[in-house]
């Protein structure tokens, strides 16, 4: 939440927030049926690699359904939020956590043709105001609608200058088409690429991090928005792009001893 406030103050658009549950008192007051909309995302504030993220794409009565079609009851939601508050996904057994509940973004129609379910996002590694390397993370049925490479989503290299996908990988295998939608990935141009780069370049000053990974989604109504900023982004992006970050950092002015 602090990051969102800082980004907004720095002129960067972020995703919205339904509520934050950070204590057992707040958990007792939380009623999924009353408080949650038709679609939403729940994630741990201290999570990493997509662990603990729960997505609901639609609601029927008092239940919701995931991208895989699996049903989520109110009891399922409460159990998941409780696990987050208990620190079950924080990676630090001594630390409690907070559940961030956000509206589920509806992807730009220009992107939805690539993927049957879920929300693709763009990861940009930046050094200060310089975007260095980018990839698009595209959900699959096997990833349960999540754009996380560790959960079988696709990693697609995006040319930093043009916004065009040049290479795609899924579970270590190079591919050209989406395994579910059969859409051609290579040559796809990410919409509003200039805005994506501009947003990425502003995050360092707003957050106070010199090196960071910026996750951006493209909403059907509001265009590019910051999903989150990562202080320790994974470096799988180098394998996806078949390029090293060090050279890009040197070109951006970083000096290595």
């Amino acid at each position: 939440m602090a990051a969102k406030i800082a980004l907004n103050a720095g002129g960067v658009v972020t995703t919205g927030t339904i509520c934050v549950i950070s204590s057992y008192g707040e958990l007792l007051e939380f009623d999924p049926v009353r408080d949650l909309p038709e679609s939403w995302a729940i994630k741990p504030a201290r999570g990493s690699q997509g662990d603990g993220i729960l997505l609901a794409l639609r609601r029927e009565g008092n239940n919701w359904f995931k991208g895989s079609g699996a049903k989520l009851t109110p009891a399922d939601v409460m159990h998941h939020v409780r696990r987050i508050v208990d620190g079950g996904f924080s990676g630090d057994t001594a630390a409690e956590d907070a559940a961030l509940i956000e509206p589920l973004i509806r992807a730009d129609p220009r992107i939805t043709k690539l993927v049957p379910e879920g929300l693709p996002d763009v990861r940009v590694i930046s050094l200060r105001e310089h975007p260095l390397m980018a990839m698009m993370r595209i959900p699959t049925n096997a990833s349960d609608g999540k754009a996380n490479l560790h959960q079988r989503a696709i990693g697609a290299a995006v040319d930093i200058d043009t916004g065009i996908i040049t290479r795609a990988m899924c579970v270590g295998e190079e591919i050209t088409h989406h395994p579910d939608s059969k859409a051609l990935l290579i040559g796809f141009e990410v919409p509003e690429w200039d805005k994506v780069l501009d947003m990425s370049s502003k995050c360092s000053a707003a957050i106070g991090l010199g090196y960071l990974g910026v996750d951006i989604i493209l909403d059907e109504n509001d265009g590019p928005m910051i999903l989150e900023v990562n202080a320790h982004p994974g470096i799988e992006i180098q394998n996806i792009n078949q390029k090293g970050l060090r050279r890009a950092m040197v070109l951006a002015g970083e000096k290595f001893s």
Side-chain angles (χ1 to χ4, degrees):
M1 289 305 297
K4 285 188 176 185
I5 292 169
L7 287 166
N8 294 158
V12 182
V13 179
T14 63
T15 55
T17 302
I18 296 171
C19 65
V20 179
I21 301 173
S22 57
S23 69
Y24 296 110
E26 292 171 346
L27 183 61
L28 288 172
E29 296 176 1
F30 176 60
D31 181 349
V33 175
R34 180 195 65 205
D35 299 332
L36 293 182
E38 180 170 327
S39 57
W40 41 260
I42 299 176
K43 60 185 180 181
R46 292 175 175 268
S48 64
Q49 298 185 346
D51 288 342
I53 295 177
L54 185 65
L55 306 177
L57 273 62
R58 60 186 175 88
R59 179 173 181 168
E60 291 184 9
N62 291 340
N63 299 311
W64 296 265
F65 290 85
K66 300 164 65 174
S68 63
K71 184 168 71 173
L72 292 167
T73 67
D76 294 330
V77 175
M78 288 297 295
H79 175 71
H80 189 79
V81 173
R82 186 176 295 107
R83 282 193 67 193
I84 292 176
V85 175
D86 284 340
F89 304 101
S90 69
D92 182 350
T93 56
E96 294 180 351
D97 207 345
L100 308 181
I101 305 180
E102 302 175 343
L104 189 69
I105 305 302
R106 296 295 180 181
D108 187 308
R110 290 170 288 184
I111 292 177
T112 54
K113 63 182 181 181
L114 293 182
V115 53
E117 295 284 2
L119 179 70
D121 67 15
V122 177
R123 161 70 61 86
V124 180
I125 301 291
S126 294
L127 179 68
R128 297 181 292 276
E129 72 275 18
H130 304 289
L132 303 178
M133 194 174 291
M135 68 175 170
M136 192 173 197
R137 301 182 298 187
I138 305 170
T140 63
N141 288 342
S143 74
D144 202 21
K146 299 175 185 177
N148 191 279
L149 304 187
H150 295 274
Q151 300 184 16
R152 304 180 70 85
I154 297 166
V158 179
D159 181 78
I160 199 72
D161 295 318
T162 64
I164 294 174
I165 292 178
T166 59
R167 184 171 184 265
M169 298 284 293
C170 186
V171 200
E173 179 183 351
E174 188 164 352
I175 60 174
T176 58
H177 292 70
H178 193 288
D180 305 314
S181 69
K182 310 305 179 185
L184 177 64
L185 302 172
I186 309 305
F188 178 82
E189 184 174 353
V190 179
E192 302 190 57
W193 188 244
D194 289 344
K195 287 186 179 180
V196 169
L197 293 182
D198 180 63
M199 296 177 80
S200 301
S201 68
K202 292 178 179 177
C203 290
S204 176
I207 296 293
L209 292 170
Y211 174 81
L212 63 164
V214 182
D215 294 343
I216 298 173
I217 53 85
L218 284 88
D219 180 72
E220 65 179 355
N221 297 313
D222 298 317
M225 295 191 293
I226 299 293
L227 184 64
E228 62 184 23
V229 174
N230 299 270
H232 302 285
I235 55 175
E236 179 64 17
I237 191 171
Q238 296 182 114
N239 294 329
I240 300 297
N241 279 270
Q242 292 189 307
K243 295 179 181 178
L245 280 164
R246 182 185 176 98
R247 174 175 169 76
M249 293 173 74
V250 169
L251 293 173
E254 187 71 8
K255 299 185 184 300
F256 293 90
S257 58

